[in-house]
Amino acid sequence: MTVRLRDLTPDDSDRLLAWRNLPEVARWMYSDHEISRPEHDRWFAGIAGDPTRRYWIIELDGEPVGLANLADISTAHRKAAWAYYLASPAVRGKGVGAFVEVFVLDHVFGDLKLNKLCCEVLLENEAVWKMHESFGFQREALYRSHVWKGGTAHDVVGLGLLAADWAKARPASVARLRARGFVI
């Protein structure tokens, strides 16, 4: 099993629109409406050349299975935010998300030399925020009634990871991946 993250290309646009409208992906996003082609095209055109954003397609054995991204990259404040999703339910639970986590954390703290990475996760998506915590993220906030979906207010967990935290958590995180057969 080989996981890699490759840069997003224009050829990925249709795939991303389809993925983003999948019920199992959309349920964990902040918006809950079906994304139209014009809305998607505006978003896709807007990310091209934006230095505050970075997008990767997650591939498993050469097949696209998800998207990872950095947003709000600030070299002045040495921080960014991130998110990812696995569009294919068949790959969940295989360690792909853990591989993505290590890849992105190494990129953020190693290549970009940032000091902090943040993310927000719907409170009911407990598996994801607990996974982030297993890589050293700490809960920094509980945003009450932060997102309105399906006619209901939802709480959001705000998480943060500092470069020093990742330096401490990385050896155990990499060891867990290697134990599952991943090459880091």
Side-chain angles (χ1 to χ4, degrees), residues 2-165:
T2 302
V3 178
R4 82 175 185 116
L5 280 75
R6 66 164 174 81
D7 289 333
L8 189 67
T9 70
D11 292 339
D12 294 310
S13 180
D14 289 343
R15 174 182 296 116
L16 291 178
L17 176 58
W19 282 351
R20 184 54 184 80
N21 282 323
L22 290 170
E24 61 269 24
V25 171
R27 76 181 283 213
W28 303 117
M29 300 295 175
Y30 277 12
S31 62
D32 61 356
H33 68 283
E34 183 169 339
I35 296 170
S36 68
R37 168 57 69 181
E39 179 183 1
H40 172 77
D41 290 346
R42 280 189 303 277
W43 168 80
F44 200 85
I47 65 172
D50 182 345
T52 68
R53 296 183 166 275
R54 176 82 196 267
Y55 289 85
W56 298 275
I57 293 293
I58 304 163
E59 293 183 341
L60 175 61
D61 296 330
E63 292 297 316
V65 296
L67 178 74
N69 79 292
L70 292 176
D72 303 324
I73 300 169
S74 170
T75 54
H77 298 291
R78 298 187 58 214
K79 66 178 184 154
W82 87 295
Y84 81 92
Y85 62 81
L86 298 175
S88 172
V91 304
R92 295 185 190 130
K94 294 185 175 185
V96 174
F99 181 93
V100 169
E101 193 114 2
V102 169
F103 175 94
V104 170
L105 298 178
D106 279 350
H107 180 69
V108 164
F109 299 119
D111 301 331
L112 299 180
K113 307 283 189 245
L114 299 180
N115 184 56
K116 186 172 186 177
L117 185 62
C118 303
C119 62
E120 295 180 359
V121 181
L122 293 173
L123 180 62
E124 62 261 33
N125 198 353
E126 185 176 354
V128 169
W129 58 259
K130 281 189 173 182
M131 185 181 87
H132 290 319
E133 288 177 337
S134 77
F135 285 89
F137 278 86
Q138 293 182 28
R139 186 187 294 202
E140 296 183 340
L142 175 64
Y143 302 113
R144 298 174 303 136
S145 297
H146 195 61
V147 175
W148 199 261
K149 288 177 62 86
T152 305
H154 295 264
D155 295 342
V156 171
V157 176
L159 299 151
L161 179 68
L162 300 177
D165 299 333

